[in-house]
């Protein structure tokens, strides 16, 4: 079980319990977070861009080259940016804190 903390664009914090094996994008969308995930996790857009708290970033497996390429297109990307569709929760993550960026760019043009 992982406790996920979402920091919204308004600064409000919401916490959600997530089971091991769940994808962060699915957890965020079920919680009503404004992450489109336009490409449905196919890494063809950056509409699920999130910013991971620096204390938690090192706990995650590194981003693939394809994910890094998509993050280059994300608005407001930082050193700890990731795509929520590429983060799978597991027992190694007791707590994961992520910030929802204020803007998103849909590279698919929908």
């Amino acid at each position: 079980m992982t406790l996920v903390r979402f920091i919204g664009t308004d600064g409000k914090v919401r916490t959600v319990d997530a089971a091991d094996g769940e994808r962060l994008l699915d957890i965020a969308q079920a919680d009503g977070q404004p992450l489109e995930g336009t490409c449905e996790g196919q890494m063809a857009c950056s509409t699920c861009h999130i910013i991971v708290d620096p204390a938690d970033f090192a706990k995650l497996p590194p981003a693939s080259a394809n994910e890094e390429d998509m993050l280059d297109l994300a608005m407001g990307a930082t050193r700890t940016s990731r795509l929520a569709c590429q983060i799978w929760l597991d027992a190694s993550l007791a707590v994961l804190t992520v910030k929802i960026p204020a803007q998103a760019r849909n590279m698919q043009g929908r």
Side-chain angles (χ1 to χ4, degrees):
M1 187 70 66
T2 301
L3 177 69
V4 180
R5 279 191 201 113
F6 293 106
I7 302 172
T9 57
D10 59 1
K12 291 184 181 175
V13 178
R14 290 188 43 87
T15 58
V16 177
D17 287 321
D20 294 347
E22 292 195 70
R23 185 171 61 168
L24 183 59
L25 175 60
D26 298 328
I27 299 302
Q29 289 177 331
D31 187 53
Q33 297 297 325
L35 296 180
E36 280 185 49
T38 302
C39 72
E40 298 178 358
Q42 300 301 310
M43 241 187 325
C45 72
S46 62
T47 61
C48 69
H49 166 230
I50 47 99
I51 300 169
V52 179
D53 185 276
D56 297 333
F57 187 74
K59 299 176 192 175
L60 299 173
S64 68
N66 287 342
E67 182 179 356
E68 291 286 349
D69 288 346
M70 290 307 329
L71 287 168
D72 287 342
L73 303 173
M75 294 182 77
T78 71
R79 185 184 63 76
T80 62
S81 287
R82 292 294 303 267
L83 298 179
C85 69
Q86 299 303 301
I87 297 175
W88 295 88
L89 304 174
D90 63 39
S92 70
L93 296 167
V95 177
L96 179 63
T97 302
V98 299
K99 182 177 179 185
I100 307 299
Q103 298 176 330
R105 178 181 294 147
N106 181 356
M107 298 311 297
Q108 291 186 329
R110 289 186 196 167

